[in-house]
Amino acid sequence: MGIAAALVLAAAFGAGDQYLGSLAGSGHAWAGGWAVDVSLLSAPWLVVGFVAGATRREPRRAALLGLACTFAAILGYFLLTDSPLEGAHYSLAGVRTFVISDPALLVGGLVTGPLFDWFGQQWRTRRALLGALLTAAALCLEPLARRVPLAPMRYHVAFAITPIRSHTIVVAEVAAGIALAVYTAAGAIRSRGHG
């Protein structure tokens, strides 16, 4: 996969995430609460980095691609958030509000983008299993982590964890994590058998 394609797919992922989150509030009864639950998931953002990294052979390029894909996804999210489709318009004030509304998102992207891309690159080139299993664990454990009662953490605004309400979304996310773990473990076992 080329770099441009990876960036476009990452931006589309971010825009899609925002679109799902906006469905429930825009009169789409068919979307119900599941669309909001999907849009609030965090672990799939890590999988974006892992998959992008698995397309690269060199660790440095994988980490840079991870950073770029993470911020392309955030850019896609922002562009749909402030778009006319959402009843807004692009402005510098909108950019400022987006950036200061959740600095943890941007700071987290600086760390998780390169890290999970590196995990993907290491799995591709060496069949290193630890990073792949950590990515799978993020999917499997997110529903549980979102049920842990925490006092709101303070940044510029209050942050609270919202449990996933849809049982189907919980099952789907955990199943995706198990599938990723099985796939990457099988690949690691096969490569060791040929080595």
Side-chain angles (χ1 to χ4, degrees):
M1 174 188 309
I3 293 172
L7 293 172
V8 167
L9 288 172
F13 169 81
D17 185 69
Q18 165 55 26
Y19 178 72
L20 284 174
S22 69
L23 283 179
S26 60
H28 291 89
W30 60 269
W34 72 265
V36 173
D37 279 346
V38 170
S39 77
L40 291 175
L41 296 177
S42 298
W45 287 74
L46 304 176
V47 175
V48 167
F50 182 84
V51 170
T55 69
R56 303 286 116 199
R57 292 199 179 277
E58 299 169 8
R60 182 172 177 205
R61 288 186 184 200
L64 290 173
L65 182 63
L67 186 62
C69 282
T70 299
F71 282 93
I74 292 170
L75 179 63
Y77 185 93
F78 165 74
L79 289 175
L80 195 61
T81 299
D82 267 16
S83 75
L85 293 172
E86 296 288 331
H89 63 281
Y90 300 115
S91 67
L92 286 177
V95 172
R96 181 182 179 279
T97 299
F98 182 79
V99 169
I100 65 170
S101 69
D102 197 355
L105 175 76
L106 299 175
V107 172
L110 288 172
V111 175
T112 62
L115 178 64
F116 281 82
D117 258 48
W118 182 73
F119 287 163
Q121 182 275 334
Q122 290 293 295
W123 182 82
R124 176 189 177 160
T125 59
R126 299 181 0 183
R127 293 298 188 238
L129 202 49
L130 180 61
L133 292 179
L134 287 173
T135 307
L139 288 165
C140 291
L141 296 175
E142 181 174 16
L144 177 62
R146 295 209 11 213
R147 291 221 169 262
V148 174
L150 296 174
M153 299 181 333
R154 302 277 178 207
Y155 296 108
H156 292 287
V157 294
F159 171 80
I161 296 174
T162 307
I164 302 168
R165 296 167 298 186
S166 169
H167 179 71
T168 304
I169 301 304
V170 169
V171 170
E173 186 175 30
V174 171
I178 291 169
L180 179 61
V182 168
Y183 175 78
T184 55
I189 290 167
R190 275 195 309 274
S191 73
R192 290 188 181 114
H194 290 94

